[in-house]
Amino acid sequence: MSSESLFQRALLTAPGGVHSPVRAFHGVGGTPIFMASARGARLTDVTGLTYIDFCLSFGPLILGHHDPAVAEVAHRAITDGWSYGTCEPYSLELAEWIIARVPWVERLRFVSSGTEAVMSALRVARAATKRSDILKFEGCYHGHADHLLVKAGSGLAGTVTASSAGLPDDVAAHTLVAPLDDEQSIDDVFASHAGTIAAAIVEPVPANYGLLPQREEWLRHLSETCRRHGTLLILDEVITGFRDGVRGAAARYSVTPDLVCYGKVIGGGFPVGAYGGRAELMQLVAPAGPVYQAGTLSANPVGMRVGLATLQQLEETDGWERLEAHADAFARDLTDRLAKVAPALDVVRHGSIFWIRRRHDGPVRRPDHIPNSHAEWYRHFFHAALANGIYLPPSPYEVSFLSLAHDTETLADAAMALADAAAHPARE
Ligand code: PMP
């Protein structure tokens, strides 16, 4: 059984052979590798080859694959039953755990994905403000809800076009798009849409167009401008929530959101999302209030118990601090090695998220700062890394993640393998 033969079959069953686009390797070329199992920092493919995994299911697996303590919790949860569709204590325990630690989350609602969390938070914001417009930022991804699948049109900030087929012409009528890293554009959008913007939504650490850490002053400017205009600030912490420490990137940047969206780490690798915020906003959600939102599998008990076990383990073992230290040491080691063999590369790191990219003079805080040569370079680098036993995300614009299962020895091996891949990128 080879990945090639499985992929030929998959092409006959799913669009592009996959159930989420990046998995198809279109960003790097070649045939996707079919994985059969995973433990710790490693994936094993269907032929028995193993890879050090820096994709980590695109972020949720902060403890690595199949953490033994979490696995025990998951097995117990399944033994008890895997979906009740009733009230149960497990979502209550996870909600209480979060509310006790995150001051801006007074109430929250569990859903099954980050997309759902964002969609629902925006509905709450529109209901709370009785306004229709939403402001988002070019290069941020917030899931695949219709009105967020838009990008800035040419010219003026605020003109938008659909970034997917299948959307009605007027889907973007209420979505405004501004560039990141630009205070003036924020001021301009608020000036030209006085009193109509329900919410501004942003990834506090944009990590869906490479890794584009923002200036704290920019985020604070956005936050203060929102306050002045009665616009709600929604932080999309689907990636950074419970990865950037228990209070997420909001705490690192000292920005307080009105609503926050979670996904990925909150479910420890099971399909869980959540949105939350101040009580008076969240009380608008059904059945407490008039904003409808529901889910057959919402607050799935297995996801709830795995999520809580993951977060408790992180807290009880100083997990976030250890992860930060590991990530810092790894990024330094990799940077030193790359400087010797491939000086045109940079390692960008934020906490336990990193991105290797072509060097650019000056800051890289917006998509248009990314050198054009990056994507082509990454295709070759990705395949050389794969041949060296490293599984990076199969797209030049997806970021890599570290987990606590990536121990010192694994990281030293990985840094060496990545430097070798950078020195000898694959030929096509
Ligand atoms: N927001 C952000 C910041 C994300 O990174 C993602 C997914 N990568 C989403 C929302 C959507 O989450 P999901 O894929 O779980 O629907």
Side-chain angles (χ1 to χ4, degrees):
M1 194 166 48
S2 68
S3 291
E4 283 78 9
S5 64
L6 289 169
F7 192 56
Q8 288 311 312
R9 280 166 55 194
L11 284 168
L12 300 177
T13 63
V18 293
H19 299 280
S20 196
V22 177
R23 298 178 197 176
F25 275 33
H26 287 186
V28 291
T31 304
I33 311 288
F34 278 61
M35 299 299 173
S37 62
R39 284 290 183 280
R42 287 179 169 78
L43 288 162
T44 302
D45 74 14
V46 288
T47 69
L49 287 174
T50 65
Y51 307 82
I52 298 175
D53 182 14
F54 287 113
C55 185
L56 287 170
S57 197
F58 296 95
L61 300 170
I62 194 165
L63 301 177
H65 293 278
H66 202 277
D67 175 80
V70 175
E72 228 174 83
V73 171
H75 290 145
R76 267 208 310 279
I78 287 174
T79 304
D80 289 342
W82 47 81
S83 189
Y84 310 140
T86 66
C87 290
E88 31 63 44
Y90 310 112
S91 55
L92 170 62
E93 286 163 14
L94 180 55
E96 283 180 345
W97 192 94
I98 292 168
I99 287 168
R101 287 160 180 78
V102 185
W104 42 92
V105 178
E106 293 174 349
R107 297 278 190 286
L108 88 169
R109 169 62 60 82
F110 290 114
V111 291
S112 301
S113 69
T115 295
E116 261 187 281
V118 167
M119 240 167 54
S120 313
L122 289 172
R123 193 175 299 147
V124 171
R126 284 176 160 145
T129 57
K130 302 194 168 46
R131 299 175 180 181
S132 298
D133 293 340
I134 298 296
L135 172 62
K136 79 178 282 284
F137 293 90
E138 182 76 30
C140 287
Y141 176 69
H142 302 292
H144 63 86
D146 281 358
H147 55 299
L148 291 170
L149 282 182
V150 298
K151 58 187 176 205
S154 56
L156 291 175
T159 65
V160 296
T161 54
S163 60
S164 164
L167 307 183
D169 289 341
D170 59 357
V171 69
H174 291 293
T175 309
L176 313 167
V177 182
L180 291 161
D181 187 42
D182 182 352
E183 281 88 340
Q184 187 61 50
S185 290
I186 293 175
D187 296 346
D188 292 348
V189 172
F190 275 90
S192 58
H193 293 80
T196 72
I197 307 177
I201 182 164
V202 68
E203 289 179 78
V205 184
N208 277 290
Y209 211 123
L211 185 58
L212 304 171
Q214 297 298 299
R215 290 175 292 115
E216 181 163 342
E217 311 88 80
W218 179 80
L219 263 179
R220 296 180 70 87
H221 183 80
L222 173 63
S223 168
E224 284 154 19
T225 309
C226 284
R227 296 270 180 280
R228 265 206 317 283
H229 289 82
T231 293
L232 300 182
L233 177 66
I234 304 178
L235 288 188
D236 179 346
E237 298 235 36
V238 167
I239 285 184
T240 44
F242 307 106
R243 176 169 282 279
D244 247 19
V246 71
R247 296 196 189 93
R252 283 208 193 209
Y253 288 110
S254 310
V255 170
T256 304
D258 297 293
L259 292 164
V260 59
C261 302
Y262 295 123
K264 303 199 191 257
V265 172
I266 198 176
F270 282 78
V272 180
Y275 63 104
R278 286 201 309 281
E280 94 260 12
L281 294 173
M282 292 303 293
Q283 289 294 96
L284 292 171
V285 178
V291 176
Y292 195 69
Q293 185 271 309
T296 302
L297 296 176
S298 287
N300 172 267
V302 183
M304 296 291 103
R305 292 166 77 171
V306 163
L308 183 58
T310 301
L311 298 181
Q312 282 174 330
Q313 187 182 141
L314 284 162
E315 186 175 73
E316 285 161 14
T317 65
D318 295 327
W320 287 293
E321 293 78 6
R322 289 190 293 127
L323 196 53
E324 175 84 39
H326 271 294
D328 180 49
F330 170 67
R332 282 166 195 266
D333 182 22
L334 185 55
T335 302
D336 289 349
R337 288 176 188 276
L338 291 178
K340 291 185 196 120
V341 296
L345 301 181
D346 270 334
V347 182
V348 188
R349 178 182 78 87
H350 173 92
S352 54
I353 309 168
F354 70 96
W355 182 47
I356 305 169
R357 62 159 167 77
R358 295 282 285 184
R359 172 154 302 161
H360 170 74
D361 292 327
V364 177
R365 300 194 189 109
R366 297 200 321 228
D368 59 328
H369 293 158
I370 301 169
N372 287 335
S373 57
H374 172 77
E376 183 56 23
W377 165 78
Y378 189 83
R379 292 166 67 88
H380 300 287
F381 175 64
F382 170 87
H383 284 288
L386 197 62
N388 284 355
I390 307 287
Y391 191 81
L392 293 169
S395 158
Y397 302 107
E398 295 283 345
V399 295
S400 291
F401 296 96
L402 289 170
S403 81
L404 280 170
H406 290 70
D407 56 21
T408 311
E409 198 183 333
T410 303
L411 290 177
D413 290 349
M416 214 155 25
L418 287 168
D420 181 72
H424 308 100
R427 302 260 159 78
E428 279 180 50

